[in-house]
């Protein structure tokens, strides 16, 4: 199968290209190599390469020739610095997706795997002893400043028990990036309905592994911690470190994309199916920082009590649907993956030399 991988020179995209080649497919990489993600020319994947922006309709049209499916990874990621980033997020993520889908419609390409995200859920799944499953509202800044980080039951104010969030949970994006990721899914679903396409969105949880960018406000928390350790500094853990996440290795995410691309042709036409893509083993941010620091041999993490208003407290994946319907299984364990990541190199980011 000939697969166009947008963003294929990036952190996750480059691993997907490798996974596709290993399974006998022919990847074609389209990547703009934007300075925000690539301050210099990165090592390019061993595949046909087109340097172009996904918002460039002419370039996308040319890249789609003789393509059987698209794996759409190109996006601006992370929480960002502040709301001033909003136009860039919407332009890269939503306009870019719209241009890609319009050209796919014209070219007759009807198979799509989209890089989704767990951020579309907002807060994860919570249970109140009295009221059952509840949806807490956004955390208040006064509570965060006072160190009250745990969401409370919206009905009675009681403590909540976090659990695994399934794909049928309501979406509730709580920052600009999350909003654009949900919009991408809506665009893909609309495309599928209009043209009889088949689409899968893999809602990634916290992806980490070799090749993560360093020293950037747009990377994930694992990258922040690894960058600190590389500088000989202690990882700075926000809030109290008890935030629960699902840390999934990038090679497992790459294999999920390859499996989904092979299966998407068997999905019902005219619809998008969403799948959580996580390890299935929740850990706290503090646990991850401590494990990474120990594996690196660097300073112990420091819990700072700082917070970012757009962050959520707990969100962990129920990935049973992906396992049951597509047969995917993660193979890299938490300790094993972090031990490798502690020794692995990182990509340079904008403003970083080397």
């Amino acid at each position: 199968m000939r697969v166009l991988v947008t963003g294929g020179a990036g952190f996750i995209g480059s691993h997907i290209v490798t996974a596709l080649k290993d399974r006998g497919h022919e990847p074609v990489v389209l990547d703009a190599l934007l300075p925000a993600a690539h301050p210099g020319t990165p090592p390019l994947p061993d595949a046909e390469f087109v340097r172009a922006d996904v918002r460039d309709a002419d370039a996308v049209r040319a890249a789609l020739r003789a393509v059987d499916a698209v794996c759409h990874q190109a996006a601006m990621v992370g929480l960002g610095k502040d709301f001033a980033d909003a136009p860039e997020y919407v332009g890269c993520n939503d306009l870019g997706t719209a241009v890609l889908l319009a050209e796919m419609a014209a070219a007759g390409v009807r198979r799509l795997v989209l890089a989704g995200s767990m951020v579309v859920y907002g807060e994860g799944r919570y249970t109140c002893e009295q009221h059952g499953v509840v949806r807490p509202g956004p955390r208040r800044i006064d509570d965060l400043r006072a160190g009250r980080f745990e969401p409370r039951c919206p009905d009675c104010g009681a403590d909540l028990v976090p659990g695994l969030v399934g794909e049928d949970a309501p979406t509730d994006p709580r920052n600009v990036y999350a909003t654009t990721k949900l919009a991408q899914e809506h665009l893909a679903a609309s495309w599928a309905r209009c043209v009889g396409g088949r689409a899968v969105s893999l809602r990634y949880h916290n992806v980490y592994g070799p090749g993560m960018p360093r020293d950037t406000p747009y990377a994930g928390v694992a990258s922040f911690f690894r960058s600190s350790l590389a500088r000989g500094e202690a990882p700075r853990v926000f809030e109290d470190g008890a935030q629960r996440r699902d840390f999934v290795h990038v090679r497992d995410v790459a294999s999920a994309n390859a499996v989904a691309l092979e299966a998407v042709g068997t999905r019902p036409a005219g619809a998008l199916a969403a799948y959580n893509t996580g390890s299935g083993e929740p850990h706290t941010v503090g646990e991850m920082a401590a494990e990474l620091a120990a594996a690196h041999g660097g300073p112990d993490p420091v819990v700072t009590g700082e917070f970012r208003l757009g962050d959520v407290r707990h969100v962990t994946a129920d990935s049973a649907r992906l396992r049951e319907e597509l047969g995917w299984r993660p193979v890299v364990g938490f300790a094993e993956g972090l031990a490798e990541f502690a020794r692995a190199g990182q990509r340079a980011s904008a403003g970083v030399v080397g």
Side-chain angles (χ1 to χ4, degrees):
M1 184 164 54
R2 184 173 166 88
V3 181
L4 180 65
V5 183
T6 70
F11 165 48
I12 297 175
S14 60
H15 284 274
I16 292 171
V17 169
T18 299
L20 289 173
K21 288 176 65 67
D22 288 347
R23 296 170 77 100
H25 300 296
E26 181 186 357
V28 178
V29 173
L30 186 145
D31 200 303
L33 302 182
L34 295 176
H38 305 282
T41 301
L44 297 178
D46 182 19
E48 181 180 338
F49 179 74
V50 178
R51 182 168 184 171
D53 195 304
V54 75
R55 293 168 288 189
D56 182 341
D58 291 339
V60 171
R61 187 178 310 124
L64 284 169
R65 292 190 187 119
V67 160
D68 302 300
V70 172
C71 184
H72 184 32
Q73 305 295 311
M76 187 172 178
V77 302
L79 190 60
K81 292 176 287 188
D82 52 42
F83 200 83
D85 287 330
E88 192 74 11
Y89 272 106
V90 173
C92 288
N93 298 358
D94 298 340
L95 176 59
T97 299
V99 170
L100 173 66
L101 293 171
E103 294 305 322
M104 288 175 64
V109 180
R110 297 292 183 262
R111 299 181 184 185
L112 171 71
V113 173
L114 172 69
S117 175
M118 55 85 178
V119 295
V120 300
Y121 299 116
E123 287 288 349
R125 185 179 189 274
Y126 294 87
T127 303
C128 171
E129 187 176 67
Q130 180 178 352
H131 296 99
V133 176
V134 296
R135 297 284 296 175
R139 295 187 294 171
R140 299 186 307 169
I141 193 167
D142 289 345
D143 286 337
L144 297 173
R145 285 173 175 162
R148 296 187 293 268
F149 302 121
E150 293 289 344
R152 298 283 197 166
C153 176
D155 298 316
C156 67
D159 292 339
L160 298 174
V161 177
L164 302 181
V165 61
E167 292 90 348
D168 57 350
T171 53
D172 185 18
R174 297 194 174 183
N175 56 58
V176 171
Y177 171 63
T179 301
T180 66
K181 295 308 290 183
L182 184 57
Q184 284 184 305
E185 289 194 358
H186 289 320
L187 286 165
S190 179
W191 163 83
R193 286 192 297 271
C194 288
V195 305
R198 293 171 166 87
V200 165
S201 176
L202 296 177
R203 290 176 175 169
Y204 302 160
H205 282 248
N206 290 69
V207 186
Y208 74 95
M212 283 193 88
R214 70 177 189 265
D215 297 307
T216 166
Y218 303 100
V221 67
S223 178
F224 296 164
F225 294 163
R226 180 65 177 80
S227 297
S228 296
L229 290 165
R231 296 191 300 268
E233 301 171 0
R236 295 177 61 83
V237 180
F238 280 16
E239 300 186 17
D240 59 2
Q243 310 94 302
R244 287 162 54 91
R245 297 289 188 270
D246 186 318
F247 298 99
V248 59
H249 196 276
V250 66
R251 285 198 299 275
D252 285 332
V253 169
S255 72
N257 275 271
V259 167
L261 281 161
E262 291 166 354
V264 68
T266 67
R267 304 299 306 171
L272 176 141
Y275 294 97
N276 286 333
T277 308
S279 71
E281 298 180 8
H283 291 274
T284 68
V285 172
E287 288 170 347
M288 190 273 285
E291 185 84 24
L292 185 62
H296 188 274
D300 291 337
V302 175
V303 178
T304 70
E306 297 171 89
F307 61 88
R308 298 191 301 178
L309 191 58
D311 279 337
V312 298
R313 180 62 174 173
H314 305 295
V315 56
T316 52
D318 181 350
S319 300
R321 181 181 293 177
L322 183 56
R323 291 163 169 78
E324 293 167 2
E325 294 188 9
L326 301 190
W328 171 81
R329 295 288 186 277
V331 298
V332 183
F334 181 71
E336 173 195 355
L338 287 177
E340 178 197 24
F341 183 46
R343 300 185 298 268
Q346 290 178 274
R347 292 169 176 250
S349 297
V352 179
V353 177

